[in-house]
Amino acid sequence: MKTLFKYEVQEPIKLYILTFFSILVSAVHKVFLLKQMGQFISSSPLFPLPRFFVDMAQFNGPLYFLAAIFIPFIVALSVREERDEGRALSIYALPYSKKAILTIKFISNFLLLVSCFFVVHVLVFFLHFSETPEAAFKSLLAGAPFLLLFYAVVIFYMLSVSSFIAVSSPNMYVAILVSFLILYLPALIGIRTLLPMTSDFLGVSRILFPLSLMSFTAYIIMGNWRDVK
């Protein structure tokens, strides 16, 4: 299992896409920072940084849009592409159960995505407020626990929904399109109970987390039931 996990984490195409996505996320974070009052000409903090450190993720609509495109793409590559191209036969021929393989794929994607989102977020924040590194560091210590919780809940939700759709879809392209539509629909029509980018994130989490668990369970059941061909 350790070898399979290492393969999933180090898969080259997945890492290339993560790198490209990191550039886009950096740009989105930077635009968010520049749009805030007083940040057009200064990189010095003009308001409470710990709150602002979290706001970069919690109230950044374009970030959610990118995630709704990118996460289904990563999942489709990991779960669906190998089945479309016939490579899944060699992977699922390993001496592990389908459930174990599907779980490893999910965990590896989850860890990669949480790490990517969090690291890019911190780097952009520190670079923007480079004139006051002490204040930026204090903001990191104050805001990191909630930020990690935020990214973990959001990514778990989006990843579980995308994984279930990917393993249920006829091909990779359908999986990406349907996943994006389902994940981004709440933002389009204003269903705040399914939208993480809100001031009532903890309240929304009480809905998103059970949905995530149900989607993850359905993903394992469907993936275990369906033929890998």
Side-chain angles (χ1 to χ4, degrees):
M1 296 300 290
K2 185 177 180 180
T3 302
L4 180 60
F5 177 80
K6 185 177 180 180
Y7 167 79
E8 288 291 335
V9 170
Q10 296 180 349
E11 206 279 320
I13 297 178
K14 192 183 296 186
L15 294 179
Y16 293 149
I17 295 171
L18 274 171
T19 302
F20 176 70
F21 175 72
S22 298
I23 295 172
L24 295 179
V25 170
S26 299
V28 165
H29 281 314
K30 187 65 177 179
V31 169
F32 181 86
L33 289 166
L34 291 174
K35 282 184 176 180
Q36 307 310 303
M37 184 177 299
Q39 295 305 312
F40 289 100
I41 59 176
S42 174
S43 60
S44 300
L46 303 178
F47 36 76
L49 282 190
R51 176 192 60 80
F52 191 62
F53 177 72
V54 173
D55 287 354
M56 280 175 60
Q58 192 173 359
F59 299 105
N60 197 340
L63 177 64
Y64 186 77
F65 175 78
L66 282 179
I69 294 176
F70 172 73
I71 291 178
F73 198 85
I74 285 288
V75 171
L77 282 173
S78 180
V79 176
R80 186 70 254 173
E81 185 197 29
E82 62 189 21
R83 297 180 180 228
D84 294 347
E85 296 185 354
R87 294 184 290 106
L89 291 173
S90 59
I91 296 175
Y92 287 87
L94 295 171
Y96 309 117
S97 66
K98 284 185 181 179
K99 293 178 182 179
I101 294 173
L102 290 167
T103 301
I104 286 296
K105 288 178 177 293
F106 188 93
I107 293 174
S108 64
N109 288 333
F110 178 79
L111 293 177
L112 277 174
L113 289 166
V114 171
S115 300
C116 176
F117 273 87
F118 184 76
V119 169
V120 171
H121 185 115
V122 171
L123 285 176
V124 173
F125 184 83
F126 265 83
L127 288 173
H128 186 80
F129 294 106
S130 57
E131 293 182 4
T132 54
E134 183 177 351
F137 183 70
K138 289 181 179 178
S139 300
L140 171 62
L141 293 179
F146 181 84
L147 186 67
L148 280 172
L149 174 65
F150 177 84
Y151 279 135
V153 171
V154 173
I155 291 172
F156 182 47
Y157 166 66
M158 300 180 82
L159 192 60
S160 58
V161 171
S162 299
S163 296
F164 170 64
I165 294 172
V167 83
S168 306
S169 299
N171 57 61
M172 175 178 171
Y173 305 104
V174 172
I176 295 173
L177 178 60
V178 173
S179 295
F180 169 72
L181 291 175
I182 290 177
L183 292 174
Y184 199 64
L185 187 62
L188 289 177
I189 61 181
I191 304 178
R192 295 189 176 275
T193 53
L194 294 176
L195 192 61
M197 274 59 180
T198 175
S199 56
D200 188 25
F201 171 70
L202 295 179
V204 171
S205 297
R206 296 190 184 98
I207 298 174
L208 293 184
F209 192 69
L211 285 176
S212 303
L213 289 177
M214 288 189 292
S215 298
F216 174 75
T217 303
Y219 154 69
I220 297 295
I221 293 173
M222 179 63 73
N224 186 60
W225 173 74
R226 291 198 67 177
D227 193 344
V228 297
K229 295 180 181 179

